[in-house]
């Protein structure tokens, strides 16, 4: 499975540095993507550094440009994170511009969904973000978060809801892959994820999980590492890959 960890902006800088150093010493049998508050050079061996955001194409201030991310060898960037949309009022038009900036600069977008919870509304939201984008030979990650869980800081998502959204997203993305020439996509589940949440995501069929800044020390993150490593071992025994 893929595990995406987002430090957001409230985690102390020294804690972030220690987390990045400590995780290098752990055995990780899964793909780990980590988004620190300030992007740094993607030169670690155990995981990849990714960006919490990407700028618009036009001249602006206070955002990281695609050229800087390319210079840092960063290959993934969030677009449309729910907290940016909720607190900064980012529209789908702005998110679409960031998405196109990613695609034009060989950066894999992590498209965040979850403002709406019904499967049909989630697809409408995704279509609005993807409009006018050339997806031929591109890769994307779609992250669906339970907004209720994120806002309440506890895992209150419904299994039925998360499965219904997954099935609708998978159907739509399979059709889009065939019609647009999209190279590949992955679906990840977020919303106050813990060990049980990882098991739920795996059981439903999600390709990975999105985790916020709750685990500010690697020692507290270790149970999740153990769960993710176990899932990989079980898949190897069952499928041989």
């Amino acid at each position: 499975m893929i595990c995406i960890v987002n430090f957001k902006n409230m985690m102390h800088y020294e804690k972030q540095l220690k987390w990045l150093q400590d995780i290098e010493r752990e055995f990780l049998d899964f793909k780990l993507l980590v988004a620190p508050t300030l992007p740094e050079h993607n030169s670690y061996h155990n995981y990849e550094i990714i960006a919490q955001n990407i700028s618009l194409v036009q001249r602006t201030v206070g955002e990281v440009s695609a050229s800087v991310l390319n210079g840092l060898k960063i290959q993934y960037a969030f677009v449309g994170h729910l907290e940016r949309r909720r607190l900064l009022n980012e529209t789908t038009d702005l998110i679409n511009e960031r998405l196109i900036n990613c695609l034009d600069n060989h950066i894999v977008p992590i498209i965040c969904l979850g403002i709406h919870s019904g499967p049909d509304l989630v697809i409408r939201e995704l279509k609005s973000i993807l409009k006018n984008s050339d997806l031929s030979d591109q890769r994307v990650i779609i992250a669906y978060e339970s907004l209720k869980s994120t806002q309440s800081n506890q895992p209150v998502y419904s299994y039925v809801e998360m499965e219904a959204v997954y099935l609708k997203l998978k159907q739509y993305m399979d059709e889009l892959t065939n019609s647009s020439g999209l190279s590949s996509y992955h679906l990840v589940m977020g919303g106050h994820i813990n060990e049980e949440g990882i098991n739920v995501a795996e059981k439903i069929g999600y390709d990975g999980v999105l985790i916020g800044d709750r685990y500010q020390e690697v020692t507290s993150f270790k149970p999740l590492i153990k769960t993710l490593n176990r899932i990989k071992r079980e898949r190897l025994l069952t499928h041989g890959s």
Side-chain angles (χ1 to χ4, degrees):
M1 296 184 81
I2 301 168
C3 179
I4 305 171
V5 176
N6 186 357
F7 288 167
K8 304 185 182 182
N9 71 327
M10 298 297 288
M11 187 172 175
H12 194 279
Y13 179 65
E14 296 298 331
K15 277 196 169 184
Q16 294 189 39
L17 289 180
K18 187 174 188 310
W19 204 101
L20 296 176
Q21 293 164 0
D22 289 349
I23 202 71
E24 273 281 69
R25 294 189 285 270
E26 297 296 323
F27 172 72
L28 308 178
D29 203 11
F30 56 91
K31 186 177 185 68
L32 177 63
L33 308 177
V34 183
T37 304
L38 182 66
E40 60 176 274
H41 199 277
N42 183 27
S43 56
Y44 292 91
H45 301 291
N46 219 12
Y47 57 91
E48 289 194 49
I49 293 290
I50 66 173
Q52 291 189 13
N53 191 31
I54 186 171
S55 71
L56 304 174
V57 174
Q58 58 265 40
R59 186 189 301 273
T60 185
V61 176
E63 296 194 327
V64 183
S65 67
S67 64
V68 168
L69 295 182
N70 283 331
L72 293 172
K73 308 300 181 187
I74 288 176
Q75 301 182 67
Y76 299 83
F78 281 100
V79 293
H81 193 280
L82 296 192
E83 283 163 323
R84 290 187 62 87
R85 297 174 70 178
R86 191 163 50 87
L87 299 174
L88 304 178
N89 297 316
E90 283 206 355
T91 64
T92 53
D93 286 340
L94 282 178
I95 298 165
N96 174 257
E97 287 188 47
R98 298 185 195 280
L99 167 70
I100 292 173
N101 199 15
C102 277
L103 299 177
D104 287 346
N105 288 280
H106 312 291
I107 296 168
V108 178
I110 302 171
I111 303 168
C112 298
L113 304 173
I115 290 295
H116 305 291
S117 59
D120 292 332
L121 291 176
V122 171
I123 297 301
R124 185 185 302 175
E125 179 185 354
L126 178 57
K127 286 180 178 179
S128 180
I129 292 171
L130 293 176
K131 66 183 179 183
N132 302 322
S133 58
D134 181 4
L135 296 174
S136 178
D137 298 321
Q138 299 282 1
R139 297 181 295 147
V140 300
I141 294 177
I142 310 293
Y144 176 69
E145 290 190 80
S146 164
L147 183 60
K148 188 187 299 183
S149 296
T150 300
Q151 290 176 330
S152 64
N153 288 319
Q154 53 185 325
V156 294
Y157 49 79
S158 157
Y159 184 98
V160 172
E161 171 205 341
M162 303 308 282
E163 183 179 44
V165 170
Y166 166 79
L167 292 172
K168 198 75 173 181
L169 280 172
K170 186 176 188 308
Q171 178 186 15
Y172 176 73
M173 291 305 298
D174 284 346
E175 293 170 354
L176 187 63
T177 299
N178 292 331
S179 63
S180 69
L182 180 70
S183 175
S184 67
Y185 73 88
H186 290 95
L187 304 178
V188 304
M189 173 178 144
H192 209 78
I193 295 295
N194 53 20
E195 301 98 290
E196 181 56 33
I198 294 172
N199 288 321
V200 168
E202 196 272 338
K203 184 176 180 181
I204 290 173
Y206 283 95
D207 303 301
V209 290
L210 171 59
I211 296 169
D213 57 354
R214 285 188 299 133
Y215 302 97
Q216 299 203 359
E217 295 178 353
V218 169
T219 50
S220 64
F221 188 65
K222 282 185 177 182
L224 283 74
I225 295 174
K226 183 178 179 180
T227 300
L228 289 160
N229 284 340
R230 175 185 55 76
I231 288 172
K232 177 60 180 293
R233 288 195 306 271
E234 290 174 353
R235 286 184 174 181
L236 282 171
L237 290 172
T238 303
H239 305 292
S241 63

